[in-house]
Amino acid sequence: MTGRDLLPIAVFALLAACVPLFVTSNVVLNFLVFTLIIALAAQGWNLLGGYGGQYSFGHAAFFGTGAYLTAILQVRYGMNAYPAFAAGIALAALVGLAIGFMAFRSGLRGSYFALVTLAFAEVFRVLANASEVTGGAAGILIRLRADPMNFQFAERGTFLWVAAALVTLALLATLALERSRLGAQLVAVRENEAAAQALGVDVLAVKLRAIVLSAGMTGAAGGLYAQYFLYLDAQIAYGTWISVEALLAPIVGGAGTVFGPLLGAVILHGLAEATKTIAGRIPGIDLVVFGIVLILVVRFPPRDIPGLLKRWRR
């Protein structure tokens, strides 16, 4: 990686660090923290779907696992929030490994892989909704103890710094992957799996590494969500909303690029908030906006907002 590669990430980190110094509105800070959490989950999806071409419809399985284990270890077993957060990431990565091994070993790809991941997310949602350890339908509430030692902060701006730091790490990890041998193999598998295999690429191993990284990063987003909002239920943790947002943000912002998921998350949530301001708090209006944006980027190639802007400038 060169200094030129790192400059945009450094600029993002600097801008994010300056925001809490000038913005005190809780509404704005909430919006930014939530957008960064979605950007982190979307970056996880991007590693597998954007670079590897393995489109998942069920990243909620990883998001919910990271979120639930972070919450359960604190609430049920009294564990400190930081190791609980790390354990959530590790378990999400293991879940990714298990799902990936079963799906890729069976040769599932394309729409079959997408449907399998969706099915796993739904199974997890049903189990979480029925289990006592997750609080069942009532959900699970993390007690508010605002202290940095508990991974809780009295000021929302401090949490924004934490979220921005994690997104910065995710951007650096994605850039490192893009420049690595594994990144090149992933792209080769995405473009032509049979040709990559003929050239000596271990396709199964490459896919498994990608899904483990992807699931771990998405699990981190789930743990961060639990730690910020301090409440979870099955619909939040394993709901289809997070699967949709995790895949839509990279597609809109540019799948298979370092900044695509972050850009897509900002565009989607910015449009959704602007629509709510204009049209009022109509339930589901944000999903309507997401649907319209998705239709536009799918209908008009090159199928992402940066590509559309370049095309209209010509």
Side-chain angles (χ1 to χ4, degrees):
M1 290 185 284
T2 65
R4 189 175 179 181
D5 295 329
L6 295 173
L7 182 61
I9 299 176
V11 170
F12 161 75
L14 182 62
L15 289 175
C18 290
V19 168
L21 303 179
F22 300 100
V23 177
T24 55
S25 167
N26 285 337
V27 174
V28 175
L29 292 174
N30 272 334
F31 166 77
L32 292 174
V33 170
F34 187 55
T35 301
L36 288 175
I37 291 172
I38 297 303
L40 187 59
Q43 194 66 274
W45 185 95
N46 189 43
L47 296 181
L48 182 66
Y51 287 96
Q54 311 302 311
Y55 278 35
S56 161
F57 286 178
H59 259 49
F62 314 132
F63 182 90
T65 300
Y68 261 124
L69 192 63
T70 300
I72 288 170
L73 290 178
Q74 293 178 72
V75 175
R76 309 287 184 213
Y77 301 100
M79 183 181 284
N80 180 268
Y82 291 102
F85 179 63
I89 295 172
L91 185 61
L94 281 175
V95 169
L97 178 63
I99 293 175
F101 185 79
M102 287 186 280
F104 297 141
R105 184 79 174 173
S106 304
L108 298 181
R109 65 179 74 169
S111 56
Y112 296 103
F113 174 71
L115 290 174
V116 164
T117 56
L118 178 62
F120 271 107
E122 275 301 289
V123 168
F124 287 173
R125 186 184 66 78
V126 171
L127 291 176
N129 200 46
S131 172
E132 288 186 9
V133 74
T134 59
I140 187 166
L141 184 67
I142 300 174
R143 191 155 63 93
L144 176 62
R145 294 175 298 173
D147 186 329
M149 295 302 293
N150 297 324
F151 204 174
Q152 295 180 16
F153 307 97
E155 302 294 332
R156 286 180 170 81
T158 310
F159 208 97
L160 177 65
W161 281 333
V162 174
L166 287 173
V167 171
T168 302
L169 288 175
L171 292 172
L172 289 171
T174 305
L175 182 61
L177 176 78
E178 193 177 84
R179 301 287 189 271
S180 70
R181 183 183 178 87
L182 175 61
Q185 291 175 336
L186 256 181
V187 173
V189 169
R190 179 189 70 194
E191 296 300 321
N192 191 323
E193 191 171 318
Q197 194 162 21
L199 291 172
V201 175
D202 187 340
V203 173
L204 176 62
V206 168
K207 288 182 177 178
L208 288 179
R209 289 174 192 165
I211 197 170
V212 167
L213 292 173
S214 175
M217 197 174 287
T218 309
L224 200 60
Y225 181 99
Q227 213 54 38
Y228 185 68
F229 291 99
L230 302 177
Y231 173 76
L232 287 175
D233 64 19
Q235 191 57 37
I236 293 173
Y238 291 118
T240 53
W241 71 275
I242 183 61
S243 293
V244 170
E245 295 212 22
L247 75 89
L248 200 52
I251 290 174
V252 169
T257 63
V258 175
F259 277 93
L262 177 61
L263 179 62
V266 172
I267 291 172
L268 287 173
H269 282 269
L271 284 174
E273 287 302 315
T275 306
K276 287 176 185 174
T277 302
I278 296 170
R281 296 279 166 181
I282 301 173
I285 190 68
D286 53 337
L287 297 178
V288 173
V289 172
F290 292 172
I292 292 172
V293 173
L294 180 62
I295 291 169
L296 288 174
V297 297
V298 171
R299 173 64 181 82
F300 299 103
R303 307 185 192 286
D304 57 44
I305 295 295
L308 287 175
L309 292 176
K310 286 180 185 174
R311 183 179 176 183
W312 287 338
R313 282 178 192 159
R314 292 172 188 164

